[in-house]
Amino acid sequence: MASGDFSLYALEDPKPPTSMFWLGAVDPQKLKDAKEKGTRLPGPHSSEFAPVPEPTIRTGVAAMSGAVLDLMKK
């Protein structure tokens, strides 16, 4: 589920460079509670998945922008 068919792109000629980017999106308090209780949090394909939009989007945009700018230097 996490990768889907994404990895198959790297098998085709010409073999393109590939990367997978994971971004945390859960409320920190819910994460803390789940760790303390030993329970699992719902993932992105669950109807119970409830990311915290503002910090998730802000962090994702900053991280991906930084990655692209770094790659463009090379």
Side-chain angles (χ1 to χ4, degrees), residues 9-32:
Y9 291 114
L11 301 176
E12 296 296 320
D13 285 322
K15 296 197 179 343
T18 59
S19 178
M20 188 169 238
F21 184 83
W22 291 70
L23 178 65
V26 70
D27 180 328
Q29 185 60 49
K30 287 184 180 179
L31 178 60
K32 182 181 176 211

mmCIF file of all heavy atoms in Angstrom, residues 9-32:
data_model
loop_
_atom_site.group_PDB
_atom_site.id
_atom_site.type_symbol
_atom_site.label_atom_id
_atom_site.label_comp_id
_atom_site.label_asym_id
_atom_site.label_seq_id
_atom_site.Cartn_x
_atom_site.Cartn_y
_atom_site.Cartn_z
ATOM 1 N N TYR A 9 8.391 2.056 -11.921
ATOM 2 C CA TYR A 9 8.952 3.080 -12.814
ATOM 3 C C TYR A 9 10.464 2.951 -12.907
ATOM 4 O O TYR A 9 11.055 3.196 -13.950
ATOM 5 C CB TYR A 9 8.593 4.486 -12.334
ATOM 6 C CG TYR A 9 7.143 4.829 -12.475
ATOM 7 C CD1 TYR A 9 6.352 5.050 -11.352
ATOM 8 C CD2 TYR A 9 6.552 4.926 -13.730
ATOM 9 C CE1 TYR A 9 5.008 5.366 -11.488
ATOM 10 C CE2 TYR A 9 5.209 5.242 -13.869
ATOM 11 C CZ TYR A 9 4.445 5.457 -12.753
ATOM 12 O OH TYR A 9 3.118 5.777 -12.877
ATOM 13 N N ALA A 10 11.112 2.603 -11.823
ATOM 14 C CA ALA A 10 12.571 2.500 -11.792
ATOM 15 C C ALA A 10 13.081 1.289 -12.568
ATOM 16 O O ALA A 10 14.275 1.194 -12.831
ATOM 17 C CB ALA A 10 13.065 2.431 -10.355
ATOM 18 N N LEU A 11 12.210 0.371 -12.942
ATOM 19 C CA LEU A 11 12.625 -0.828 -13.659
ATOM 20 C C LEU A 11 12.609 -0.648 -15.170
ATOM 21 O O LEU A 11 13.131 -1.481 -15.901
ATOM 22 C CB LEU A 11 11.721 -2.005 -13.274
ATOM 23 C CG LEU A 11 11.695 -2.362 -11.783
ATOM 24 C CD1 LEU A 11 10.687 -3.480 -11.540
ATOM 25 C CD2 LEU A 11 13.076 -2.759 -11.300
ATOM 26 N N GLU A 12 11.998 0.418 -15.642
ATOM 27 C CA GLU A 12 11.870 0.643 -17.083
ATOM 28 C C GLU A 12 13.104 1.343 -17.648
ATOM 29 O O GLU A 12 13.718 2.172 -16.994
ATOM 30 C CB GLU A 12 10.631 1.492 -17.374
ATOM 31 C CG GLU A 12 9.325 0.825 -16.990
ATOM 32 C CD GLU A 12 9.045 -0.437 -17.779
ATOM 33 O OE1 GLU A 12 9.304 -0.462 -18.998
ATOM 34 O OE2 GLU A 12 8.570 -1.411 -17.175
ATOM 35 N N ASP A 13 13.463 0.991 -18.873
ATOM 36 C CA ASP A 13 14.580 1.669 -19.543
ATOM 37 C C ASP A 13 14.071 2.898 -20.271
ATOM 38 O O ASP A 13 13.011 2.837 -20.883
ATOM 39 C CB ASP A 13 15.255 0.713 -20.531
ATOM 40 C CG ASP A 13 16.113 -0.320 -19.821
ATOM 41 O OD1 ASP A 13 16.753 0.057 -18.820
ATOM 42 O OD2 ASP A 13 16.135 -1.479 -20.265
ATOM 43 N N PRO A 14 14.754 3.995 -20.238
ATOM 44 C CA PRO A 14 15.951 4.208 -19.433
ATOM 45 C C PRO A 14 15.567 4.314 -17.962
ATOM 46 O O PRO A 14 14.534 4.890 -17.631
ATOM 47 C CB PRO A 14 16.504 5.529 -19.954
ATOM 48 C CG PRO A 14 15.309 6.263 -20.459
ATOM 49 C CD PRO A 14 14.359 5.205 -20.956
ATOM 50 N N LYS A 15 16.379 3.761 -17.101
ATOM 51 C CA LYS A 15 16.062 3.715 -15.673
ATOM 52 C C LYS A 15 16.142 5.122 -15.062
ATOM 53 O O LYS A 15 17.218 5.668 -14.896
ATOM 54 C CB LYS A 15 17.002 2.764 -14.961
ATOM 55 C CG LYS A 15 16.829 1.328 -15.451
ATOM 56 C CD LYS A 15 17.435 0.356 -14.492
ATOM 57 C CE LYS A 15 17.296 -1.084 -14.891
ATOM 58 N NZ LYS A 15 16.361 -1.479 -15.849
ATOM 59 N N PRO A 16 14.995 5.696 -14.728
ATOM 60 C CA PRO A 16 15.009 7.053 -14.163
ATOM 61 C C PRO A 16 15.365 7.027 -12.680
ATOM 62 O O PRO A 16 15.117 6.036 -11.993
ATOM 63 C CB PRO A 16 13.556 7.509 -14.339
ATOM 64 C CG PRO A 16 12.769 6.242 -14.226
ATOM 65 C CD PRO A 16 13.637 5.178 -14.870
ATOM 66 N N PRO A 17 15.929 8.109 -12.182
ATOM 67 C CA PRO A 17 16.133 8.178 -10.732
ATOM 68 C C PRO A 17 14.774 8.303 -10.055
ATOM 69 O O PRO A 17 13.871 8.970 -10.575
ATOM 70 C CB PRO A 17 16.972 9.436 -10.530
ATOM 71 C CG PRO A 17 16.797 10.234 -11.768
ATOM 72 C CD PRO A 17 16.418 9.283 -12.866
ATOM 73 N N THR A 18 14.585 7.643 -8.951
ATOM 74 C CA THR A 18 13.311 7.701 -8.238
ATOM 75 C C THR A 18 13.557 7.997 -6.764
ATOM 76 O O THR A 18 14.640 7.764 -6.245
ATOM 77 C CB THR A 18 12.530 6.383 -8.367
ATOM 78 O OG1 THR A 18 13.326 5.331 -7.834
ATOM 79 C CG2 THR A 18 12.155 6.085 -9.798
ATOM 80 N N SER A 19 12.523 8.485 -6.135
ATOM 81 C CA SER A 19 12.595 8.781 -4.710
ATOM 82 C C SER A 19 11.189 8.711 -4.137
ATOM 83 O O SER A 19 10.215 9.020 -4.826
ATOM 84 C CB SER A 19 13.166 10.185 -4.507
ATOM 85 O OG SER A 19 13.190 10.501 -3.141
ATOM 86 N N MET A 20 11.104 8.308 -2.886
ATOM 87 C CA MET A 20 9.809 8.285 -2.213
ATOM 88 C C MET A 20 9.904 9.192 -1.000
ATOM 89 O O MET A 20 10.883 9.133 -0.248
ATOM 90 C CB MET A 20 9.442 6.866 -1.804
ATOM 91 C CG MET A 20 8.052 6.732 -1.283
ATOM 92 S SD MET A 20 7.618 5.007 -1.125
ATOM 93 C CE MET A 20 6.200 4.984 -2.173
ATOM 94 N N PHE A 21 8.925 10.034 -0.815
ATOM 95 C CA PHE A 21 8.939 11.045 0.244
ATOM 96 C C PHE A 21 7.815 10.751 1.221
ATOM 97 O O PHE A 21 6.656 10.671 0.820
ATOM 98 C CB PHE A 21 8.735 12.422 -0.403
ATOM 99 C CG PHE A 21 8.828 13.568 0.544
ATOM 100 C CD1 PHE A 21 10.055 14.086 0.901
ATOM 101 C CD2 PHE A 21 7.690 14.152 1.067
ATOM 102 C CE1 PHE A 21 10.150 15.164 1.761
ATOM 103 C CE2 PHE A 21 7.768 15.221 1.926
ATOM 104 C CZ PHE A 21 9.007 15.729 2.272
ATOM 105 N N TRP A 22 8.151 10.565 2.486
ATOM 106 C CA TRP A 22 7.150 10.304 3.523
ATOM 107 C C TRP A 22 7.023 11.547 4.380
ATOM 108 O O TRP A 22 8.020 12.157 4.760
ATOM 109 C CB TRP A 22 7.588 9.124 4.385
ATOM 110 C CG TRP A 22 7.563 7.821 3.664
ATOM 111 C CD1 TRP A 22 8.398 7.415 2.665
ATOM 112 C CD2 TRP A 22 6.647 6.767 3.873
ATOM 113 N NE1 TRP A 22 8.071 6.160 2.252
ATOM 114 C CE2 TRP A 22 6.988 5.738 2.984
ATOM 115 C CE3 TRP A 22 5.579 6.570 4.721
ATOM 116 C CZ2 TRP A 22 6.297 4.542 2.917
ATOM 117 C CZ3 TRP A 22 4.899 5.377 4.662
ATOM 118 C CH2 TRP A 22 5.261 4.379 3.766
ATOM 119 N N LEU A 23 5.813 11.913 4.698
ATOM 120 C CA LEU A 23 5.559 13.112 5.482
ATOM 121 C C LEU A 23 4.590 12.788 6.608
ATOM 122 O O LEU A 23 3.489 12.299 6.371
ATOM 123 C CB LEU A 23 4.956 14.195 4.570
ATOM 124 C CG LEU A 23 4.577 15.513 5.214
ATOM 125 C CD1 LEU A 23 5.807 16.226 5.743
ATOM 126 C CD2 LEU A 23 3.854 16.395 4.201
ATOM 127 N N GLY A 24 5.007 13.047 7.828
ATOM 128 C CA GLY A 24 4.120 12.830 8.967
ATOM 129 C C GLY A 24 2.987 13.844 8.954
ATOM 130 O O GLY A 24 3.182 15.005 8.599
ATOM 131 N N ALA A 25 1.794 13.426 9.328
ATOM 132 C CA ALA A 25 0.643 14.322 9.245
ATOM 133 C C ALA A 25 -0.291 14.215 10.432
ATOM 134 O O ALA A 25 -1.352 14.809 10.432
ATOM 135 C CB ALA A 25 -0.146 14.010 7.963
ATOM 136 N N VAL A 26 0.099 13.482 11.444
ATOM 137 C CA VAL A 26 -0.796 13.220 12.567
ATOM 138 C C VAL A 26 -0.623 14.289 13.655
ATOM 139 O O VAL A 26 0.439 14.873 13.807
ATOM 140 C CB VAL A 26 -0.546 11.807 13.134
ATOM 141 C CG1 VAL A 26 0.793 11.728 13.837
ATOM 142 C CG2 VAL A 26 -1.644 11.382 14.069
ATOM 143 N N ASP A 27 -1.681 14.502 14.379
ATOM 144 C CA ASP A 27 -1.661 15.397 15.534
ATOM 145 C C ASP A 27 -0.648 14.845 16.546
ATOM 146 O O ASP A 27 -0.722 13.669 16.914
ATOM 147 C CB ASP A 27 -3.065 15.437 16.144
ATOM 148 C CG ASP A 27 -3.183 16.333 17.354
ATOM 149 O OD1 ASP A 27 -2.210 16.467 18.113
ATOM 150 O OD2 ASP A 27 -4.275 16.891 17.536
ATOM 151 N N PRO A 28 0.320 15.661 16.993
ATOM 152 C CA PRO A 28 1.336 15.155 17.931
ATOM 153 C C PRO A 28 0.747 14.524 19.194
ATOM 154 O O PRO A 28 1.292 13.548 19.710
ATOM 155 C CB PRO A 28 2.151 16.401 18.282
ATOM 156 C CG PRO A 28 1.975 17.302 17.105
ATOM 157 C CD PRO A 28 0.574 17.046 16.613
ATOM 158 N N GLN A 29 -0.360 15.054 19.697
ATOM 159 C CA GLN A 29 -0.970 14.474 20.895
ATOM 160 C C GLN A 29 -1.527 13.077 20.607
ATOM 161 O O GLN A 29 -1.399 12.164 21.417
ATOM 162 C CB GLN A 29 -2.080 15.375 21.447
ATOM 163 C CG GLN A 29 -2.676 14.892 22.759
ATOM 164 C CD GLN A 29 -1.651 14.784 23.886
ATOM 165 O OE1 GLN A 29 -0.889 15.712 24.117
ATOM 166 N NE2 GLN A 29 -1.629 13.649 24.572
ATOM 167 N N LYS A 30 -2.127 12.899 19.422
ATOM 168 C CA LYS A 30 -2.642 11.574 19.055
ATOM 169 C C LYS A 30 -1.501 10.580 18.893
ATOM 170 O O LYS A 30 -1.627 9.409 19.265
ATOM 171 C CB LYS A 30 -3.458 11.655 17.763
ATOM 172 C CG LYS A 30 -4.797 12.320 17.941
ATOM 173 C CD LYS A 30 -5.589 12.290 16.646
ATOM 174 C CE LYS A 30 -6.937 12.959 16.832
ATOM 175 N NZ LYS A 30 -7.728 12.960 15.593
ATOM 176 N N LEU A 31 -0.386 11.047 18.359
ATOM 177 C CA LEU A 31 0.782 10.180 18.214
ATOM 178 C C LEU A 31 1.304 9.766 19.584
ATOM 179 O O LEU A 31 1.590 8.586 19.827
ATOM 180 C CB LEU A 31 1.880 10.891 17.425
ATOM 181 C CG LEU A 31 3.176 10.115 17.231
ATOM 182 C CD1 LEU A 31 2.930 8.815 16.488
ATOM 183 C CD2 LEU A 31 4.191 10.977 16.506
ATOM 184 N N LYS A 32 1.404 10.715 20.500
ATOM 185 C CA LYS A 32 1.865 10.428 21.859
ATOM 186 C C LYS A 32 0.938 9.421 22.540
ATOM 187 O O LYS A 32 1.399 8.447 23.146
ATOM 188 C CB LYS A 32 1.929 11.717 22.669
ATOM 189 C CG LYS A 32 2.431 11.521 24.078
ATOM 190 C CD LYS A 32 2.440 12.833 24.845
ATOM 191 C CE LYS A 32 2.865 12.559 26.270
ATOM 192 N NZ LYS A 32 2.282 13.451 27.228
#
